[in-house]
Amino acid sequence: MSERWTGTWLSGPGSANGPDDESQRWPGERFGLPQEGVGSVAGRGVRLGAFLLDLVVAALLTSLFVEMDVQRPEVMQTFNYWALLVWFVVSAVAVSLFGFTVGKFALGLRVVRLDGTPMVGPLRAIPRTLLTAIILPAALADANGRGLHDRAVGTIVVRTR
């Protein structure tokens, strides 16, 4: 059963879904998701916006505890490392427990498991967040709007409003 969700990426994003998706009319139809509105697959633009909001929140939180001075590269390098760590922890914990980060909540998005389990949980949220930090897996979306990071852990990002 998980084979139909994993597919193959060797022939490109469109082939990652297998032959079942040739008749799919919209992203997420194969999973029983609506074409639009609540519960439909979130688009790339809004997901990118949520990610950027999360980065801003992480930087603001980091600035409360770590010195920031744009005139001194060594200080900014330390700040950036801490901000990345804050982003990782906040994102992994929030997605694990609630299914959304501050950015996703603000833009009406939620990470859900395809198997219907209510919580994403840390065993899926941590690897998902690690792959998001690499950026490339999150940017490679298939016909269902799922990045490689979502495919790896069996999740999908949907709209909440």
Side-chain angles (χ1 to χ4, degrees):
M1 182 166 211
S2 66
E3 178 180 304
R4 86 174 220 247
W5 291 338
T6 54
T8 176
W9 284 75
L10 296 177
S11 301
S15 68
N17 306 309
D20 294 348
D21 281 346
E22 290 177 13
S23 63
Q24 180 170 287
R25 294 172 297 193
W26 64 82
E29 179 184 20
R30 184 176 73 156
F31 301 120
L33 300 176
Q35 185 173 3
E36 53 189 45
V38 175
S40 64
V41 175
R44 287 184 182 189
V46 70
R47 290 191 332 243
L48 176 62
F51 176 68
L52 293 175
L53 278 173
D54 289 336
L55 292 177
V56 169
V57 168
L60 291 173
L61 286 172
T62 304
S63 70
L64 297 173
F65 305 103
V66 178
E67 177 186 8
M68 185 174 85
D69 183 355
V70 294
Q71 300 300 321
R72 297 175 35 214
E74 68 281 356
V75 171
M76 287 309 296
Q77 183 177 13
T78 301
F79 177 85
N80 290 336
Y81 288 141
W82 280 106
L84 180 62
L85 180 63
V86 167
W87 169 82
F88 178 82
V89 170
V90 168
S91 294
V93 169
V95 168
S96 174
L97 296 175
F98 310 113
F100 54 80
T101 60
V102 171
K104 283 181 178 51
F105 180 77
L107 297 181
L109 304 178
R110 183 178 180 97
V111 179
V112 297
R113 286 176 55 163
L114 289 173
D115 64 8
T117 304
M119 280 183 47
V120 174
L123 293 177
R124 294 177 191 266
I126 292 170
R128 184 184 186 282
T129 305
L130 277 172
L131 288 170
T132 301
I134 299 171
I135 303 290
L136 188 59
L140 296 174
D142 64 10
N144 286 301
R146 298 173 63 212
L148 186 56
H149 65 309
D150 281 319
R151 293 178 65 81
V153 298
T155 59
I156 192 166
V157 179
V158 296
R159 297 177 187 165
T160 60
R161 55 177 182 241

